[in-house]
Amino acid sequence: MQRVRLLGELGERFGAEFTYYNLRRPADAIKLLCINRPDFKDYLLKSEENGIAFKVIQSDVEMDYEDLLLPIGQQTLVIVPIVTGK
């Protein structure tokens, strides 16, 4: 079982917490969010234009883009929107 928490505006718009089973990678969690919440994908794609980026955190460690393809751990995966100042 893997929990995914969306903080800030993400949680307000799409739901604060999701539980998934048999995830292999953090990228799989994001893919499932995009499938279950079609507006989520559009929001992610358009967010850069609006000066918003995202951090993906697990066990208090920020993941880089490449880390999203590594095996997922058992700790909660947190996706946090951050203002980029654009």
Side-chain angles (χ1 to χ4, degrees), residues 1-19:
M1 178 175 77
Q2 182 66 47
R3 289 179 198 233
V4 179
R5 292 190 63 217
L6 304 178
L7 300 184
E9 185 178 348
L10 279 178
E12 292 171 12
R13 286 182 142 211
F14 302 106
E17 190 167 308
F18 298 85
T19 302

Side-chain angles (χ1 to χ4, degrees), residues 26-39:
D28 295 339
I30 295 169
K31 181 178 180 179
L32 283 172
L33 285 167
C34 290
I35 290 169
N36 292 324
R37 305 278 189 174
D39 293 348

Side-chain angles (χ1 to χ4, degrees), residues 19-78:
T19 302
Y20 294 113
Y21 297 90
N22 300 321
L23 292 179
R24 294 183 320 215
R25 311 171 298 176
D28 295 339
I30 295 169
K31 181 178 180 179
L32 283 172
L33 285 167
C34 290
I35 290 169
N36 292 324
R37 305 278 189 174
D39 293 348
F40 185 75
K41 181 179 179 179
D42 293 333
Y43 180 83
L44 293 179
L45 293 173
K46 293 179 182 175
S47 63
E48 185 178 3
E49 297 170 6
N50 298 320
I52 300 171
F54 301 93
K55 287 185 184 182
V56 179
I57 303 167
Q58 188 174 47
S59 299
D60 296 326
V61 175
E62 290 182 28
M63 299 178 131
D64 292 325
Y65 182 75
E66 299 82 23
D67 296 336
L68 298 178
L69 300 176
L70 296 174
I72 199 165
Q74 294 300 311
Q75 301 298 318
T76 299
L77 191 68
V78 180

